[in-house]
Amino acid sequence: MMNFQGSHILSVSQFDREAIEKILQVSTAMIPYAARQKRCHVLEGAILNNLFFEPSTRTRVSFGTAFNLLGGFVRETVGQENSSLAKGESLYDTAQVISGYSDVIAMRHPQMHSVSEFAQGSSVPVINGGDGANEHPTQALLDLFTIKSEMSIHQRSIDNLNIALMGDLKHGRTVHSLSKLLSLYKNIHVTMIAPDALQMPDSIISTLENAGHKVTITDKIEGNLGCDVIYQTRIQQERFASPEEADKYRGHFSLNKKIYQQYCKDHTVIMHPLPRDSRPEANELDTDLNDLQNLAIFRQAQNGVLVRMALFALTLGVEDKLTQYEKPITWFTNK
């Protein structure tokens, strides 16, 4: 079993299946706190520094929420221009200083492998909140938690899953990390739906195939959505050379209720890492899907809090002390 205490969480590649199951188990234990059935102050006095040098809403806020729900304090730096990096300070020097102020650090940065470089200078655990087009390990973990939760309703597991990944698979770090995690399971069929120019990198496809999984590569929706899970991604405009280049592909893989009813199974779950692009020219997940019970995108986002709570508990070594630090909820809540 991986020793989580004091460890950086930088890549899904550092996990084996046993470590993944431990993370999912601790995530499940966090449900009562996130649901405000009770509260936990096991990290009272601890400090998280949230360093987000690239725009983020859900990931940044859910990291902070997760830490607060365990009783800790959160400090934030948003935007590279608001940090000493804008003055030429190295990631190593920044890490040396900020880790002295912190018990744990969550970081997002637009450059690939930058969070790993930062971690080399940190004296406290660093959790990767996304580094360019490289990886987004906490998103992949919450995606896996969501798949497990949604499939359990149908007495299914992640093993033997039939999943379609659709959209910008080249630049979508969420699908890169999720594919690596899926390779740890058994008998997965992954259908990659994307235009040739935005298909999944060969290295990710090889990881799945070398693990014995079936991979289908296509640029057509028709006949390829009869699966257990559809994981839709947006066109990652910020990763293209220009907005005009991104516009060439926008709106090619839109999903609405008519398409869902025509091509999907009754139990097909729809996932998306958010934000979804609801502009008419993109409309990747139509709002007419909002009343569909199998639209899991908002449950998926909420699951991010559970998984990040679990990672804080594991890296700070308190996962077995949660119930010792419980208190009742004293305010009104309708959760």
Side-chain angles (χ1 to χ4, degrees), residues 118-134:
F118 178 92
Q120 293 174 13
S122 176
S123 58
V124 301
V126 175
I127 301 179
N128 185 356
D131 57 335
N134 182 38

Side-chain angles (χ1 to χ4, degrees), residues 111-149:
Q111 295 177 358
M112 293 176 65
H113 310 297
S114 53
V115 180
S116 295
E117 182 182 345
F118 178 92
Q120 293 174 13
S122 176
S123 58
V124 301
V126 175
I127 301 179
N128 185 356
D131 57 335
N134 182 38
E135 279 209 55
H136 196 347
T138 64
Q139 179 71 47
L141 290 166
L142 75 89
D143 290 339
L144 204 67
F145 183 90
T146 302
I147 291 170
K148 182 177 181 179
S149 299

Side-chain angles (χ1 to χ4, degrees), residues 187-205:
N187 192 34
I188 306 288
H189 180 193
V190 185
T191 302
M192 313 279 193
I193 307 173
D196 289 343
L198 299 183
Q199 258 300 348
M200 187 73 78
D202 291 342
S203 60
I204 305 295
I205 295 172

Side-chain angles (χ1 to χ4, degrees), residues 6-174:
S7 296
H8 303 306
I9 306 297
L10 303 175
S11 168
V12 295
S13 300
Q14 69 193 91
F15 304 128
D16 58 16
R17 182 158 172 173
E18 186 180 16
I20 295 299
E21 294 300 330
K22 180 65 175 178
I23 294 169
L24 299 185
Q25 174 194 339
V26 178
S27 299
T28 300
M30 299 298 179
I31 292 175
Y33 312 127
R36 309 300 197 275
Q37 295 166 5
K38 54 183 86 169
R39 56 193 172 116
C40 180
H41 59 106
V42 69
L43 293 183
E44 185 174 7
I47 296 175
L48 162 69
N49 255 295
N50 242 2
L51 304 181
F52 275 71
F53 301 124
E54 187 179 48
S56 171
T57 302
R58 272 154 296 278
T59 303
R60 178 176 59 84
V61 173
S62 71
F63 266 117
T65 298
F67 207 73
N68 286 150
L69 284 170
L70 293 174
F73 299 108
V74 180
R75 299 289 179 265
E76 292 198 328
T77 299
V78 179
Q80 193 160 315
E81 69 279 5
N82 297 319
S83 76
S84 290
L85 294 174
K87 302 174 183 179
E89 185 173 55
S90 68
L91 287 170
Y92 180 89
D93 286 4
T94 302
Q96 284 277 302
V97 174
I98 299 299
S99 62
Y101 304 154
S102 317
D103 295 288
V104 62
I105 295 169
M107 182 178 177
R108 170 173 285 189
H109 196 282
Q111 295 177 358
M112 293 176 65
H113 310 297
S114 53
V115 180
S116 295
E117 182 182 345
F118 178 92
Q120 293 174 13
S122 176
S123 58
V124 301
V126 175
I127 301 179
N128 185 356
D131 57 335
N134 182 38
E135 279 209 55
H136 196 347
T138 64
Q139 179 71 47
L141 290 166
L142 75 89
D143 290 339
L144 204 67
F145 183 90
T146 302
I147 291 170
K148 182 177 181 179
S149 299
E150 298 292 324
M151 291 298 99
S152 68
I153 298 171
H154 305 286
Q155 291 74 52
R156 300 282 305 281
S157 68
I158 299 173
D159 291 323
N160 306 307
L161 184 75
N162 187 344
I163 181 170
L165 306 179
M166 183 164 70
D168 186 352
L169 307 185
K170 177 182 179 180
H171 301 104
R173 60 192 172 195
T174 63

